Amino acid sequence: MTGLVDLSLAEMVGGLDDGAISSVDLVTAHLQAIAAANTVLNAVWDVDAEGALTAARESDARRGEGATLSELDGIPVALKDNIDVAGRPSTAGLGTSWVPTIDAAVTGRLREAGAIPIAKLAMHEAALGATSDNPHRGRVDNPAVPGHTPGGSSGGSAAAVAAGLVPLALGTDTLGSVRIPAAYCGVAGFKPSFDLLPMAGVTPLCWTLDHVGPLARSVFDLALSLPVLANVEAEPVDLSGLVLGWPAEVDNCEIEPAVQGVIDAALDRLRAGGVTIKQIKLGLGDLSLLRRAALLLIEAEGAVALEDVWRDHPEALSETLTAMLSYGRDAPASKYVKAYRRVEEAGELINAAFDEVDALILPTVPQTAFAADAAVPVNQADLTSLANYAGAPAVSLPVPGGGAPVGLQLVGGFYEDARLIGTALAVEDLLRR
C-alpha cells in the first residue's frame, strides 16, 4: 500500500475514478508515510488520523453512489500551520497554539470538494523567514537534498509533497514563501493573483503582500487543484509564437552557476520549441533595495497583525522575531509610506511589462538549497518577490538537470492565472520530453 504515495495526484484521481484504489487506501498509505519519515523530516506538526479516515470512508461511500464532489474527492491534503483547520491546533510557527472552531476559507473549499485534510505542516516562525528552522519546533529537512534547507516559510509544505507525505499541500507566500521551497525541494508551487484565494482564517503577516497557494509534484497536478481552490481552469497555450520576457534586472542578481546552467539549457529548449525569449528592462533598479523596502512593510504590518499574541504571550516569540517586529513597529510613518510607495510603483512597472510579453521567465531562486547550518543568501527572495509586488500570478516548476533541484519561474498578468497555468503546463511538457 505504501507504493500509493509514489503516484502523482493525477494518478491518484484516476485510480479512485476507475476503482483501482479507495480513499481509505490513500489516506492509510499517507498516514504510514508520515509515521515512517517525519521523525527525520519534521515536516508535519499535527496529524488527524481519525478524522481523515472517517472522511475517507465517507468519500468512498459517495463514490460508490456516484455522488463524488470533485476530482479531489477522497484525496489527502495538508495545510501550513498558519491556515486554520477546525478542531486542530494552529500555531503560525509561534511558541503557542490555539484551536480554531471554523475552517479557514481555503480549508473549507477543500472540504466542500471532498478533499481530506490529514495534517498541519511545519513553517518558519510567523511565516517570516527563509529556512523553516523553527526555534520552537525544530528544523525541517529537505528530502531532495538531505541536510539542506527546504526553504521558507512554507518549508514543511514543500518537504511533505517532495517526500510523498501528501500529494497536495497549501502554503502562504509573502515574498516567495511557496515558490522558494518548491524550487529547493524539486516540486511545483503556485502563487495566484492577489486575493484570488481568500485569506480568511489564515494568520496574517502582511496584508499588502500575503497570498495562499498550493504545492504539488508537477504543474499538471497543481492544475487539478485550481478549479476547487480558485475556480480556475488552465487555458490551453501553444508555445509556438509565445513571447516570454527575461527581466534585465535578473542579470544583476548573483546567480549560482549551477542554477544558471540549468536555466540556460531550459531557455534553449524553449527557443527550439518556437518560444521567443525577449530581454526587457522593468525599470525596478536594485532588486535588493526593493526587497528591503518590502521587508519594512512586512515588519510593520506583522507588528500589528501579531500584536495580540505578542502582548499576551511575549515568550511565544523568539528574540529574532521580536526584534524584527519591534523595528517595524517603531519605524517612522514617513519611512513606511516611502517603502509602500516604492513597492506599489514596482508592482505597476511589472504589470506594465505584460503589454509587450505574454509572461516573464526567470529563475525562481538564484541558488540551490543551501546547507542547513549555512548563512541565508541575502538575495534569496529577490526574484520571487517581484510577483508579490505586482499581485501577479507566478508558478515555479522543477527543471530537469541532474543535480540539486532548480526552479524555473513564470509570472503572468494580474488575474491571468488560467493563461499562466496553461503556459506553465506547456513549458513543463516540453522540458520533460
Side-chain angles (χ1 to χ4, degrees):
M1 191 181 296
T2 54
L4 294 178
V5 303
D6 297 322
L7 300 176
S8 68
L9 175 58
E11 289 169 332
M12 292 179 195
V13 170
L16 288 170
D17 286 345
D18 64 21
I21 55 178
S22 70
S23 179
V24 169
D25 291 338
L26 279 179
V27 167
T28 300
H30 285 91
L31 289 172
Q32 290 173 348
I34 291 170
N38 197 55
T39 53
V40 173
L41 290 181
N42 192 34
V44 175
W45 283 351
D46 176 69
V47 178
D48 183 12
E50 183 179 351
L53 286 168
T54 297
R57 288 188 286 269
E58 293 170 352
S59 176
D60 288 336
R62 284 193 299 273
R63 195 172 298 276
E65 296 168 358
T68 54
L69 300 175
S70 78
E71 284 198 297
L72 296 187
D73 200 339
I75 296 292
V77 299
L79 303 99
K80 186 176 179 178
D81 206 32
N82 58 350
I83 303 173
D84 284 351
V85 175
R88 306 306 302 182
S90 284
T91 70
L94 302 171
T96 187
S97 66
W98 55 94
V99 179
T101 57
I102 59 174
D103 285 329
V106 288
T107 310
R109 289 184 181 184
L110 289 169
R111 280 199 206 273
E112 289 166 7
I116 300 172
I118 68 170
K120 300 293 295 297
L121 300 173
M123 59 181 286
H124 204 100
E125 186 183 26
L128 182 50
T131 64
S132 299
D133 188 351
N134 188 283
H136 312 289
R137 306 291 293 272
R139 174 182 293 165
V140 181
D141 197 30
N142 185 333
V145 196
H148 290 63
T149 181
S153 63
S154 305
S157 300
V161 170
L165 307 190
V166 284
L168 178 70
L170 292 190
T172 59
D173 190 309
T174 304
L175 287 183
S177 287
V178 162
R179 290 158 290 146
I180 292 170
Y184 284 168
C185 293
V187 300
F190 178 55
K191 183 201 79 63
S193 292
F194 185 72
D195 269 353
L196 185 65
L197 289 186
M199 294 295 297
V202 180
T203 302
L205 175 63
C206 178
W207 295 281
T208 300
L209 299 171
D210 287 347
H211 300 69
V212 175
L215 300 95
R217 291 186 187 173
S218 67
V219 178
F220 192 86
D221 283 352
L222 282 179
L224 289 176
S225 74
L226 295 182
V228 165
L229 289 169
N231 196 29
V232 167
E233 296 274 0
E235 180 181 320
V237 171
D238 185 354
L239 290 181
S240 180
L242 197 71
V243 179
L244 300 179
W246 176 273
E249 288 85 350
V250 175
D251 295 329
N252 296 321
C253 186
E254 189 174 336
I255 298 175
E256 188 178 282
V259 172
Q260 190 68 63
V262 171
I263 296 297
D264 286 344
L267 295 180
D268 287 343
R269 293 200 63 190
L270 289 170
R271 291 187 186 98
V275 176
T276 297
I277 309 294
K278 176 181 178 180
Q279 186 170 80
I280 58 172
K281 190 172 181 63
L282 299 175
L284 300 176
D286 188 312
L287 296 185
S288 292
L289 291 177
L290 182 55
R291 174 186 36 81
R292 288 175 200 164
L295 182 58
L296 176 59
L297 300 192
I298 294 168
E299 291 167 332
E301 294 189 26
V304 176
L306 299 172
E307 64 180 351
D308 288 347
V309 68
W310 189 7
R311 179 194 63 236
D312 297 339
H313 301 283
E315 74 287 351
L317 283 66
S318 70
E319 291 183 6
T320 298
L321 177 60
T322 299
M324 296 178 79
L325 298 182
S326 297
Y327 183 86
R329 179 196 60 197
D330 298 338
S334 60
K335 191 171 184 178
Y336 175 87
V337 171
K338 288 176 182 177
Y340 185 93
R341 284 295 299 144
R342 181 157 190 175
V343 169
E344 185 177 51
E345 288 166 357
E348 291 168 357
L349 289 169
I350 293 163
N351 278 314
F354 302 111
D355 291 339
E356 55 179 302
V357 298
D358 294 299
L360 300 179
I361 187 166
L362 62 163
T364 305
V365 197
Q367 62 284 137
T368 55
F370 49 92
D373 293 323
V376 178
V378 294
N379 65 352
Q380 185 194 45
D382 282 1
L383 304 181
T384 50
S385 56
L386 303 184
N388 297 80
Y389 308 149
V395 61
S396 176
L397 59 146
V399 184
V406 172
L408 177 68
Q409 184 179 194
L410 295 167
V411 182
F414 188 54
Y415 276 114
E416 293 291 334
D417 299 68
R419 180 163 178 77
L420 179 69
I421 289 295
T423 301
L425 284 170
V427 170
E428 178 176 78
D429 180 64
L430 176 66
L431 296 180
R432 288 187 168 195
R433 288 178 200 165

